[in-house]
Amino acid sequence: MHRLRKTFLGVLCGIAALLAGLIPTTNAQAAVPDRWGFAFVDVFSGVPSLAHQAGSWASGPTVTVSPGATGQVKVVFPGIASSGGVAHVTAVSPNAEWCQLQTWLPSGADQVAVVQCYKYGGTPVFTPFTIVYETSTGLLPAPQALGYIHYNGGGIASQFNSSGAANTVASGGTGVWGVTLPGLGSPGPEGGFQVTAVDPQRPARCKIGSWGSAVSAQNVKVICHDATSRPINTGWTLTYQRQRAITGAAVPPRFFGYVLDTNPTAAGPYAPTPAGINFNTLVPGGNTVQNFAPGRKVTFPKIGYLRDHVQVTAFGPGPEYCNIYKLWVTPPNDAVVNGVKCYNAVTLKPERSFTSYTSEK
């Protein structure tokens, strides 16, 4: 196993070098097909849960995973090789842990992502996680909207904007970036976000620090912290969704939703408002949030169908971060996330958070 790990680390170094050569500093709209895949990685070698993996590949192949160094997992999405795109990961753990991306790129016909997970403080750890990858093209009719950015630490490595405009990123100091998604605006808060740190060497966590909606654009602040909550300059990915699934601009599934827990101290259950931040394809504004020991229970009524997927991101100006306590469930067609947990260091803390759910159906 030690020899295998050394071999895998060598491969990772090669992948990182190759990735640096393949990805340009800007890429407004890559001319590639819409492709996507998601998985819940509950094993670190072999085939993860078939109930929670799906993608745009032909039927038959499955997602496979293999371990590297402690806490490091290579995820292979079959048959959806693509340059650019965007990926997100969320730890599924009862502890103060998170996962981040190290790299992703095509390998033959497949798309390969390398994920690294940590305990608070920076100790590597194997923990289950969810992962989604997608790449999009084309325009969407308003009010539907989708935008994403992969920021590689020095500039925009890849991006997409369903209005056809170019997204922008501006540094706001150590660990702070102002992001503008032009053409995807709304009069008030509408839609949802997911953010993930991308760093091949250091522990890093990223989140939405602030959000301002205007008719002309969505404007957010991305903030990132290191293993002990100090601001850090690192890479990251961001996705904005409005009436579109987290899997991208391809034909959407019938069953998906997202919600922002705007009042994390409310016992609930309550339906967050305004309606634009609480989307459900079958029950408009019907998603609810309530206390769940530990954390928060998020329910998406009527849209819980396997195979399915969940991502979570923290929202607020501090170093807090969020994960998922345990695998979500789908009792008669409700998707129930038990629960979303947010931490300040290793202490549970009420924190606003974005939760995104999608089925493949």
Side-chain angles (χ1 to χ4, degrees):
M1 178 59 75
H2 180 68
R3 181 177 295 176
L4 287 175
R5 288 180 177 175
K6 289 182 66 178
T7 300
F8 179 78
L9 287 174
V11 172
L12 175 62
C13 292
I15 287 175
L18 178 60
L19 184 64
L22 287 177
I23 295 182
T25 55
T26 59
N27 180 11
Q29 301 282 88
V32 295
D34 296 345
R35 292 173 176 169
W36 61 273
F38 62 66
F40 167 56
V41 177
D42 57 340
V43 297
F44 307 119
S45 180
V47 179
S49 173
L50 293 175
H52 304 288
Q53 62 164 275
S56 55
W57 54 82
S59 61
T62 64
V63 175
T64 58
V65 299
S66 57
T70 301
Q72 186 184 60
V73 179
K74 180 174 73 171
V75 182
V76 179
F77 293 104
I80 61 168
S82 181
S83 61
V86 71
H88 294 287
V89 294
T90 297
V92 180
S93 170
N95 304 312
E97 298 169 350
W98 78 90
C99 298
Q100 64 193 65
L101 289 155
Q102 291 190 318
T103 188
W104 69 90
L105 83 171
S107 177
D110 303 330
Q111 191 72 11
V112 176
V114 181
V115 176
Q116 176 70 55
C117 301
Y118 294 97
K119 294 180 180 180
Y120 181 82
T123 301
V125 61
F126 282 111
T127 189
F129 59 87
T130 64
I131 179 169
V132 60
Y133 169 80
E134 68 98 353
T135 182
S136 293
T137 61
L139 307 182
L140 293 176
Q144 298 177 37
L146 183 82
Y148 64 66
I149 295 172
H150 169 207
Y151 180 82
N152 66 5
I156 295 177
S158 63
Q159 66 165 296
F160 172 75
N161 184 306
S162 63
S163 77
N167 307 316
T168 61
V169 176
S171 176
T174 302
V176 180
W177 298 266
V179 178
T180 300
L181 305 171
L184 306 184
S186 53
E190 293 186 34
F193 289 90
Q194 294 296 320
V195 177
T196 298
V198 182
D199 199 305
Q201 298 176 330
R202 304 165 298 170
R205 313 184 306 268
C206 299
K207 62 188 290 193
I208 295 292
S210 64
W211 177 18
S213 296
V215 173
S216 59
Q218 301 293 338
N219 300 286
V220 296
K221 184 181 293 182
V222 172
I223 59 176
C224 299
H225 295 85
D226 69 6
T228 55
S229 299
R230 296 172 299 188
I232 184 176
N233 287 333
T234 187
W236 44 263
T237 57
L238 173 146
T239 295
Y240 170 72
Q241 60 180 136
R242 187 172 75 229
Q243 299 185 29
R244 210 72 180 184
I246 195 71
T247 46
V251 176
R254 291 175 293 160
F255 308 117
F256 69 91
Y258 50 81
V259 66
L260 170 60
D261 183 0
T262 56
N263 189 3
T265 60
Y270 84 102
T273 57
I277 53 106
N278 187 351
F279 182 81
N280 181 306
T281 52
L282 293 187
V283 186
N287 306 319
T288 61
V289 186
Q290 66 190 91
N291 280 343
F292 172 85
R296 304 284 278 172
K297 176 180 178 179
V298 182
T299 301
F300 296 90
K302 307 301 182 184
I303 60 172
Y305 289 89
L306 301 179
R307 297 171 286 182
D308 60 355
H309 188 74
V310 175
Q311 288 288 328
V312 169
T313 288
F315 176 33
E320 294 82 8
Y321 59 102
C322 302
N323 64 20
I324 301 171
Y325 172 62
K326 62 181 180 179
L327 181 65
W328 60 95
V329 294
T330 52
N333 303 130
D334 291 345
V336 182
V337 185
N338 290 324
V340 175
K341 303 191 331 306
C342 301
Y343 294 90
N344 185 352
V346 296
T347 303
L348 282 169
K349 180 185 176 184
E351 173 81 347
R352 290 173 294 171
S353 59
F354 295 95
T355 301
S356 180
Y357 173 85
T358 190
S359 166
E360 69 162 336
K361 291 179 179 283

